[in-house]
Each structure stands twice: as C-alpha cells, then as structure tokens.
Amino acid sequence: MEMKQAYLDDFQQRISKLAILAQQGYAGEATLLACCYLDALGYFRYLPDRYESKKTFMKFLLRYGKDKELSRVSLLILGRLVSSANSSQGSRLLAWTKACESKERKLSSSRTILRRFKNDYSDPKKLTKLLDHAIIAGVLYDNVRSLGVHQGRFTATNHSTIEVGGISINGERILGWLNTCFESVLPYLKRNHRWIRFGKYA
C-alpha cells in the first residue's frame, strides 16, 4: 500500500508540474507528456493482455474524461475516410456527410451513424473501424499523441489549436482531460491491488 500511495503521489506531482511547464514556454512538451500520462493511466486501469495503445487510450479517455464531445464523431473526417476507402458500400454515408457539411453540421453520434448505415456494409466492423478513426478521442490519439510521440510534431499547444469536427483542441484542454481522468480513476487505483506490475508492458 505504501508503494502504491507513493507512486500515485508522484504521478499527481508530475501532472501538476505540466501547467508550470506550459507557462514557461514548453506547452508542446507539456501536451505531449499529458498524452503519455493518459496512455499510462489507461494501461494501469485496464491491464490489457495485449497492449493496444490506441484502443486502451480511447476507452480510458471516453470513460473517465467526463466530456461528451470526446465521444462525438467528426463528420468532416468521417467523410474523408469514407471517400478515401473508395467503396460503393459507403456511398449513402458519404452523401449524408456532405449534406451535413452543407448545413454546417459538424458532429454526430456513433450510435446514430451505426443505426442508419450499418446495413450498407457487408461487414459492419468496417464501419465501426471508420468511426474509431473519426471519433474525437481517436482523432486526439492520431493527431496529437501519436504525431507527438513518433514524429515530434506538437500540433496542439497553448499557442496552437487544432480544429476537429467543430471543437477546438489545445494544450489547456488536454491538460484538463488529464486532470479529470486522474481524479476520476484515482479511487479505483487506490483500492485495486493489481495495477502496479512489472513485465513486458509495464
């Protein structure tokens, strides 16, 4: 228990220092670390047998981020994905996203899209996969977390905002999601005895 509490205290201190780091002119680095901490907390929460970073990151953020916009689908990005797939199965969905765009509708729910268009796909999993790439939590992973870690591209900082599906994502907002997630998952981590483990993915 002492080891667990010491780890959580250290994690909390690290998170609190990110805002200071951003104020000192290192907002890109603070944002990148925030995404890495979200990744780590998601791993500690779910302890997946096979570590799938994006899947775990999204699952954790959607459950503990307490922001409904994270679960919304960017119709602009979905339209681009459907168009690039170049499949007749998505023709109705593509027409619908274009119609929404002309009406300046930018977001929708996965449930609505699945209900309306899943029968257009011989394999509904293909539509689900498209939605995973267009959902705001997934867009955050692809365009901020992944680009930052693997390419060193700080696309969202306190001085740089990316517009995704009608919402703004910047460093301040990402730090807010991290703080909310940490406070939300803390009771679980305190009472669960298995989340600290040393092994292949620890």
Side-chain angles (χ1 to χ4, degrees), residues 17-31:
K17 289 177 181 176
L18 294 183
I20 299 172
L21 190 64
Q23 291 170 2
Q24 293 175 340
Y26 299 99
E29 288 76 4
T31 300

Side-chain angles (χ1 to χ4, degrees), residues 78-90:
L78 179 61
R80 289 174 181 170
L81 292 169
V82 174
S83 180
S84 65
N86 199 23
S87 169
S88 59
Q89 294 181 109

Side-chain angles (χ1 to χ4, degrees), residues 2-16:
E2 289 182 8
M3 177 184 176
K4 178 187 292 188
Q5 191 58 51
Y7 188 94
L8 291 172
D9 289 345
D10 179 71
F11 212 115
Q12 193 163 29
Q13 288 177 15
R14 289 173 182 270
I15 290 173
S16 66

Side-chain angles (χ1 to χ4, degrees), residues 39 52-55 57-58 136-147 150:
D39 225 342
E52 297 175 323
S53 179
K54 182 175 181 178
K55 182 178 179 180
F57 182 96
M58 289 177 60
I136 299 301
V139 171
L140 173 66
Y141 183 91
D142 291 336
N143 293 279
V144 181
R145 185 271 183 208
S146 188
L147 287 181
H150 298 297

